[in-house]
Amino acid sequence: MLGEKQWFAEPDDSVGSWLLLVLETPSQEEETYISGWQVGLANTQNILQFESMEIGSPMRETELLSALLDELRPHRRSDLTIITPTEHTLHLLRSRLLVSPITSATLRGFDHLSTAKLVEQYFMIQIDADDHFLSSDLPNSDQPLQSTCSLGDLDVAEHQAAVEQLWGIFIQLGPLVPRRLLIGSPL
């Protein structure tokens, strides 16, 4: 069909199909806030681009959210799907944008897909938003991936590990579920 997204056919390793989004939260704070984010532009062959940002104080969360929106903005309405570990990731982002002073925040123009939702629906593995995303239930998943993570003072390669793990899990799941589901739901 004309205009239909081709997720797992005819790969072009120079064009992105997905934006992989992982949010970081402090591990032991009373108030929940987003302390960092990681975004990877990817396709079935590799991760083409990686960006991340981390803050040390909730006072700078608005700056962090603005930078994330700036990172997402060029990809709006370009048939990219935002892939998150769980639905909780998107709920957390929306709730923090709602209470921020940012007036032009929008997630419209993207589709969204939660890998945890695919796992629950098609593999009958229940995943709690607060629990680890996946453990060794899938091959090549050495460590669990959380809906949010606390990464501390890690270098870029370690930051990118969460996005790479999300990409690897999604690549494993993709061929095993109906193709129409890989498009996600409009935001």
Side-chain angles (χ1 to χ4, degrees):
M1 295 181 101
L2 187 62
E4 187 174 320
K5 295 180 183 178
Q6 297 293 318
W7 297 107
F8 285 93
E10 304 173 28
D12 179 352
D13 55 354
S14 66
V15 177
S17 300
W18 314 300
L19 285 171
L20 305 162
L21 174 63
V22 177
L23 299 179
E24 303 166 19
T25 58
S27 57
Q28 297 185 356
E29 292 287 328
E30 290 181 18
E31 179 186 351
T32 299
Y33 70 95
I34 298 172
S35 62
W37 53 261
Q38 303 169 46
V39 173
L41 177 65
N43 58 29
T44 58
Q45 299 299 306
N46 56 29
I47 297 173
L48 304 169
Q49 179 183 344
F50 174 79
E51 298 293 332
S52 68
M53 182 175 178
E54 187 172 0
I55 59 171
S57 162
M59 305 304 266
R60 295 185 53 216
E61 185 182 37
T62 300
E63 175 187 341
L64 178 112
L65 292 171
S66 292
L68 176 57
L69 292 172
D70 289 345
E71 185 65 33
L72 297 177
R73 189 172 294 114
H75 303 291
R76 286 184 66 217
R77 307 204 191 295
S78 60
D79 285 336
L80 291 177
T81 299
I82 294 176
I83 309 294
T84 60
T86 67
E87 292 282 330
H88 176 72
T89 305
L90 187 61
H91 296 289
L92 176 62
L93 177 57
R94 283 180 167 154
S95 66
R96 298 313 299 165
L97 286 170
L98 182 64
V99 298
S100 78
I102 301 170
T103 57
S104 61
T106 183
L107 296 174
R108 290 185 183 164
F110 291 103
D111 293 322
H112 173 254
L113 180 65
S114 158
T115 51
K117 190 173 182 179
L118 284 179
V119 169
E120 289 173 353
Q121 185 174 359
Y122 286 94
F123 301 94
M124 297 174 59
I125 300 171
Q126 288 296 355
I127 299 165
D128 184 8
D130 295 328
D131 287 342
H132 290 293
F133 169 57
L134 291 175
S135 58
S136 58
D137 296 326
L138 291 179
N140 302 324
S141 295
D142 296 332
Q143 294 181 8
L145 179 62
Q146 299 176 326
S147 57
T148 60
C149 57
S150 177
L151 297 178
D153 296 323
L154 304 177
D155 62 24
V156 173
E158 290 171 312
H159 275 291
Q160 193 169 346
V163 167
E164 287 176 351
Q165 186 178 13
L166 179 59
W167 175 78
I169 290 167
F170 186 68
I171 292 299
Q172 284 183 279
L173 298 176
L176 302 174
V177 299
R179 191 169 90 188
R180 65 181 158 62
L181 296 176
L182 300 177
I183 295 169
S185 303
L187 294 179

